[in-house]
Amino acid sequence: TYRTAAIAGSCRRGLDPAEDAALAAELLASEKEREEHSVVVRAIRRQLAPLSERIEVAPTPRVMVLRHVQHLATEITGTLRDQAGLIALAELLHPTPAVGGEPTNLALAMIDENEGFDRGWYAGPIGWLGSGGDGELMVALRCGLVRGSRASLFAGCGIVADSDPAREWDESRIKMRAVATALGRAEDVL
């Protein structure tokens, strides 16, 4: 069996529980954020279908609340046809549209041509694999690479037709706070 989640569509956290709830309601109601999210849900379902005997997708997304950001998240569970294992699932799912775009081949070519840097581990699968085939993988988002006294931090946004560049820039700065805070430099991304 497997369990995964489509996570795409984001907003900032509020200053208090009431503002958090209002922002979460806006996130759930946002046509742009729901479209960004649905692209990821559809792709994950399509990518898992060849190896799945059964796939269950939650009917609606929920809001996943993190320290600095809130995301739309849809649970996806299933049963494999074979003993495919975690590595086979990772090969099917990586990269998800949240980090590699959709349609994948066209988007990856555009990213390669325009992004301007080698992602390295950023946006790749990280996790653990046990000797019995169990394991857990995540996408390496909101991460950094520290070399001596220098750190390169990474965060990104899902870009769709209705994206506003200024809003996406602000969102990436909010997402970067988790890593900057861990390094004691949160003020550098405010």
Side-chain angles (χ1 to χ4, degrees):
T1 61
Y2 60 81
R3 180 176 57 123
T4 190
I7 301 172
S10 309
C11 71
R12 68 178 177 84
R13 291 291 309 274
L15 298 175
D16 57 46
E19 186 181 18
D20 255 357
L23 289 167
E26 283 179 30
L27 179 62
L28 282 166
S30 169
E31 195 173 310
K32 180 263 182 198
E33 300 296 339
R34 293 291 288 256
E35 173 57 24
E36 179 181 325
H37 185 75
S38 69
V39 167
V40 177
V41 172
R42 286 190 308 266
I44 290 175
R45 180 182 203 128
R46 183 184 69 247
Q47 291 163 329
L48 289 172
L51 290 183
S52 297
E53 181 176 297
R54 174 190 60 82
I55 299 176
E56 292 181 21
V57 178
T60 58
R62 65 178 175 83
V63 176
M64 180 175 72
V65 180
L66 301 176
R67 184 173 179 190
H68 300 286
V69 67
Q70 302 182 76
H71 295 293
L72 293 177
T74 297
E75 290 281 325
I76 301 168
T77 59
T79 305
L80 298 171
R81 293 183 202 280
D82 308 321
Q83 298 287 54
L86 188 60
I87 299 302
L89 290 173
E91 287 176 336
L92 288 174
L93 293 173
H94 180 70
T96 73
V99 297
E102 182 73 7
T104 305
N105 291 338
L106 178 63
L108 290 177
M110 189 176 93
I111 288 168
D112 188 48
E113 184 178 319
N114 294 291
E115 195 165 62
F117 69 97
D118 179 0
R119 287 185 174 186
W121 289 4
Y122 170 63
I126 59 169
W128 65 273
L129 177 63
S131 62
D134 289 342
E136 184 173 0
L137 294 176
M138 290 155 265
V139 180
L141 297 174
R142 285 163 234 152
C143 56
L145 182 60
V146 178
R147 290 188 181 126
S149 63
R150 291 187 52 90
S152 298
L153 307 183
F154 303 94
C157 298
I159 307 299
V160 296
D162 292 337
S163 292
D164 171 39
R167 188 167 181 272
E168 300 295 341
W169 176 251
D170 290 342
E171 181 181 316
S172 68
R173 291 171 56 108
I174 291 165
K175 290 175 177 178
M176 193 72 70
R177 284 185 190 153
V179 181
T181 298
L183 296 173
R185 302 298 299 249
E187 69 280 357
D188 291 343
V189 295
L190 295 176

